[in-house]
Amino acid sequence: MSSRTKIKALLTGTQTGTEVTVKGWVRAFRQNRFIALNDGSTNNNIQIVVDFENTDPTLLKRITVGAAISVTGILTVSLGQGQSVEIPATTIEVLGDCDPDAYPLQLKNRPSLEFLREKAHLRFRTNTFGAIFRVRNTLSFAIHQFLQEKGFVYLHTPVITASDAEGAGETFHVTNFDLNNIPRTETGEIDYKQDFFGRSTNLTVSGQLEGELGAMALSDIYTFGPTFRAENSNTTRHLAEFWMIEPEMAFYDLQDNADLAEGMLKYVISYALDKNKEDLEFLSQRLADEEKQKPQNERSEMSLLDKLQFCLDNDFMRITYTEAIDILRDSSHNKKKKFQYLIEGWGADLQSEHERYLVEKHFKKPVILTDYPKEIKSFYMRQNEDGKTVAAMDILFPGIGEIVGGSQREERLDRLEQRMDELGIPKDELWWYLDTRRFGTCPHAGFGLGFERLVLFVTGMGNIRDVIPFPRFPKNAEF
Amino acid sequence: MSSRTKIKALLTGTQTGTEVTVKGWVRAFRQNRFIALNDGSTNNNIQIVVDFENTDPTLLKRITVGAAISVTGILTVSLGQGQSVEIPATTIEVLGDCDPDAYPLQLKNRPSLEFLREKAHLRFRTNTFGAIFRVRNTLSFAIHQFLQEKGFVYLHTPVITASDAEGAGETFHVTNFDLNNIPRTETGEIDYKQDFFGRSTNLTVSGQLEGELGAMALSDIYTFGPTFRAENSNTTRHLAEFWMIEPEMAFYDLQDNADLAEGMLKYVISYALDKNKEDLEFLSQRLADEEKQKPQNERSEMSLLDKLQFCLDNDFMRITYTEAIDILRDSSHNKKKKFQYLIEGWGADLQSEHERYLVEKHFKKPVILTDYPKEIKSFYMRQNEDGKTVAAMDILFPGIGEIVGGSQREERLDRLEQRMDELGIPKDELWWYLDTRRFGTCPHAGFGLGFERLVLFVTGMGNIRDVIPFPRFPKNAEF
C-alpha cells in the first residue's frame, strides 16, 4: 500500500517542497476549495487545497464531512491564516464515502457530550475525544515509563479470582454455568465444583493482595489492569469497569509510599503537558468555554493548564486524619452547617464534601491525608502504635476527591491475624497471603491509583464516562 | 525508612568503598559466614560476609533461607571467586524470620515446576521465576515502547461485553444475579433486563472490533489487556485468562500488517536480549539442563539464546496457505503418514503438527502464512478477489505454533454484510461495527499477539502456566 505521512509529521513543516501522500477523514470542506483533514495523529488538521475548476464535480460531491480520503500533492508553505503549511492536491481519492444526511457527527450543531456518549463508536472523530484519548494514552505510557525507570516489575494479577478479600462486597460473578440449568448438590445448594474453575469466582476488585506476593520477592512491582465494582452508582465519578495502577514496594514505609505517589503524579502530569501540549490547550479552552455557561461564582479560579502547572509547582499538603478533623470541625463551613454531614469529632468517615473542602477551600492544593482510624480502613493496613489508627494514606485532588488510596501493609503475622479475626475475614481462604508474613516478612507499602480519575483531572472533563472508550455502568454495556 | 540500594546497582561496583545498606531475602547461608542475598532486582545475589565470631549466635540462627534481612557495610571488592564485590556486614537486622522446617522452598531438593505451580505465591523467589517475570516485564514494556514510538494510541477496550462477535462461543458469563434466585420474565425466561447491565454479558474474547472503532479515527491504535476463553483445554499452551496485544491500523494492507508484526516481534526480542541478558543466559542454561534429560533426538538443535538471535537475523518466511498445502501434501512426512491428520488437499484447516512441520522441519524459521480459505477464518477478514480466500495471516513460531493471528479487515459494507449473513452473525447487534463501514470506511488491518505465547518463546519455558503469575485454567482459580 502506498506509504503515507501522518499529519502530525507534516505539520512540522520539515517536508515542505516534497510530494507527500496523506490519508484521513474530512473534518470540513469550505467553498468547494479547502478541506480540513484529520488522521488522529494530532488535534490539528492539515489544509488541502482543491483545484475545483479542474476536479470532477462527482468527486467534489463525495468530499463530505466524515469521508475517508487519500490526497497527494506538494507540501507547501501556506499564505493563508491559521496554518503554516498546506497541500495543493494533485490527486484526491475517496476511500470511503460518508452520507451527510445519515452521518451523526455533522458539525452544524455541536453535538453534546451526552449525545456523543450514545455514539461512543464515532466520538473518537471529534476534537474533544481525540484529545482525551491521546492524553489518556500518554498518561498510561508515562506511568510505565516512570516505574520502569525505577526498576519496578509490571505484574499481571488475575482478573478472575476466588477471593473477595478487600471485603468490598459488590463483585460480579463469573461463571460458565448454563443459567437455565445450574447444577445442584444433593442438599440443593449450587454445585460450584461443576463450574469452570471448580469454585465460585468473581471479577477482581483489586490486584493488591496478589501484587504483595510479587513485591515480597521482586521488591518493587506494579499492576495496571482492569478492576470491577458491581455498585449501582450512577454518578459522574464511578464506573463498573475501570483501570487501576497498584504499585507495591518491599522495604517502603508510609512516607516512602507518599513520596512515590506524589512523584509519580507529578511526573505523569508533566509528561502530558510536554507531549500533549496542543491537546491540553484545546481541552483547557473547551473547559473555559463550558464554564462560561456557569454563574461566575461556580467557575474555576484557574484554567486547566494553570491547575496542572500548579500541581507540579507545589508540594502536596501532608496532614493526618486527626489534624484534618480539627480543621473541619473548627471550620466556618461546619459551624454554619454548610456540610450535609456535620463533623462532630474524631472517627467520622470523611465524605466527598469534606475532602473537597480541605483541598479546594482550605489548602487549595492536593492533600495527602494519613493515619486514619482503623475502623474505617481495610484489614491489611499497618496498625499504628496508638492502637487507634492505621498507616493509611489518601491523596485528594481538586475537583476529583480521592485519586490515590494506599497504606503501609501490616507485615506482622500476629497483628494481621488478629485484625482479620476481628473483622471476620476468613484466614483459610487467604492462606497464601498469610504465608508471606510467615516466611521472610518485611515492612512494605503500596497504593492504588484510579486511572480514570487521573485522566479526568488532567483532561478537565466532568464525567468519568467521557474518559474511557466504552464506559460500563448500570444498564449499559453497549459496544 | 533508611534508604537502601538495590542489588542490581551494587553489583555494578560503582559504589565500592562506600557504606551501603541492602535489603532482601536470604537465598543461602554457607559456613555461618557467607550469605547469598537477593532482592529481585537481578537474578544475581550479593555476597554478605558475616563476622561470625563477633555476631550474636541467636542472630546467626535466624539467618535462614527465605528470611528477610537488612545489612549495612562497606561495599568491597571481593577476593573470592564467583563475585566481583561483597559486603562485609557491619550490622545485620532480621526483618522477617523464615522457619526452615516449614518453608516450602528449601533448596536441598530442587523443587519441580509442578510443585512451584502449587506455590505460585512464593515461586517469584526462585531464580527461574524471578527471571521469567523480569523478562515478561521487559517484553510488555518493549511492546508499548515500540508502538508508542510509531505514534500508536493505547486503547483500553472493554472487558465486560455484550457481544460475542468473534463467534468463538466459549465465553464466561458475567452477572450480578443471585444464582439461587434468578429473575424470570412472565414467559419463564431469564430476565436479563434485571441484571446489572440490563442484558446478558460476558468476558471479552478480543478487543479487536472495538479497537477498529478507534483506528477509524485515530489511525493507529493498540489494545493490551486480558482476554478470556471458557474452553475446557488442559494443555501446556492454553489459559482461560491471558493477555493479548491487538494493534489496528487504518490505511494498512496485509503486507503492511505483516511488516509491522515482524518488526514488533524482532524489536521486543532484541530489547529483552539487551535488557535481560543475565536472566536469559540463566534461562538458556536451565533449558539446556532440562533437555539433558531427554533422548538426543528430542533435544533442540539451538540453545535458547541462539534461537532468539536466529529470529532477529532472519527474515520470516512468507508464503500463502495454498503454497503451504502444496509443501505439506508433497512432504515425505505426509507420504509416510507421520501426520495424525493427513493433508489431502486444499481447504484443510492446519493442525499444530502441520504448523510445526513447516516452521521446525521445512523452513527452520518463523513463517508468515497468508491468504487462508475463507471458510476457516472469521467474518471480518477481507475477501480476496479469487472468491475463495481472505487476506488473513498467521505467524508461526518454532515450539509455539501460532503466536500472531491477523488480517486485513473487510472494509466494504456490502461484502461484510453478505459474509455476516452467510455465517448467521446478527448484524443488528453489531450496528456500531457496521457504522464504521457506512461513514468514511477505509482499508485497514490488524493482528492479535498472544502475550503469554511470546513470553513462552522468549523464556524457553514449556508450559504456559509458568509464564503468567497466577494461571487460570479448568478447576483452578487459586490465589
Side-chain angles (χ1 to χ4, degrees), chain A residues 262 266 309-318 363-368:
Chain A
E262 180 171 345
K266 286 180 168 171
Q309 192 59 47
F310 183 82
C311 261
L312 302 185
D313 295 341
N314 289 281
D315 287 341
F316 295 1
M317 188 69 209
R318 300 190 187 190
F363 291 112
K364 294 181 188 284
K365 57 176 166 172
V367 172
I368 308 185

Side-chain angles (χ1 to χ4, degrees), chain A residues 158-160 174 197 203 226 228, chain B residues 159-160 168 170-172 202-206 225-231 239-242 472:
Chain A
V159 173
I160 299 172
V174 174
F197 294 107
L203 291 177
F228 305 85
Chain B
V159 173
I160 299 172
E170 307 273 326
T171 58
F172 290 103
N202 48 56
L203 290 177
T204 185
V205 295
S206 160
T227 46
F228 305 85
R229 295 280 187 290
E231 278 171 33
L239 290 166
E241 173 180 327
F242 56 100
R472 296 294 182 245

Side-chain angles (χ1 to χ4, degrees), chain A residues 143-192:
Chain A
I143 286 163
H144 284 297
Q145 178 94 351
F146 175 80
L147 294 169
Q148 292 289 326
E149 279 174 6
K150 293 188 180 298
F152 280 60
V153 174
Y154 179 30
L155 210 66
H156 291 114
T157 48
V159 173
I160 299 172
T161 167
S163 70
D164 172 21
E166 281 239 48
E170 307 275 325
T171 59
F172 290 103
H173 308 300
V174 174
T175 175
N176 201 26
F177 282 149
D178 174 353
L179 296 189
N180 276 309
N181 191 11
I182 295 179
R184 302 272 169 180
T185 62
E186 285 181 9
T187 53
E189 279 154 4
I190 295 173
D191 189 6
Y192 283 111

Side-chain angles (χ1 to χ4, degrees), chain A residues 189-200:
Chain A
E189 279 154 4
I190 295 173
D191 189 6
Y192 283 111
K193 285 212 170 61
Q194 293 188 50
D195 206 352
F196 188 90
F197 294 107
R199 60 202 293 183
S200 165

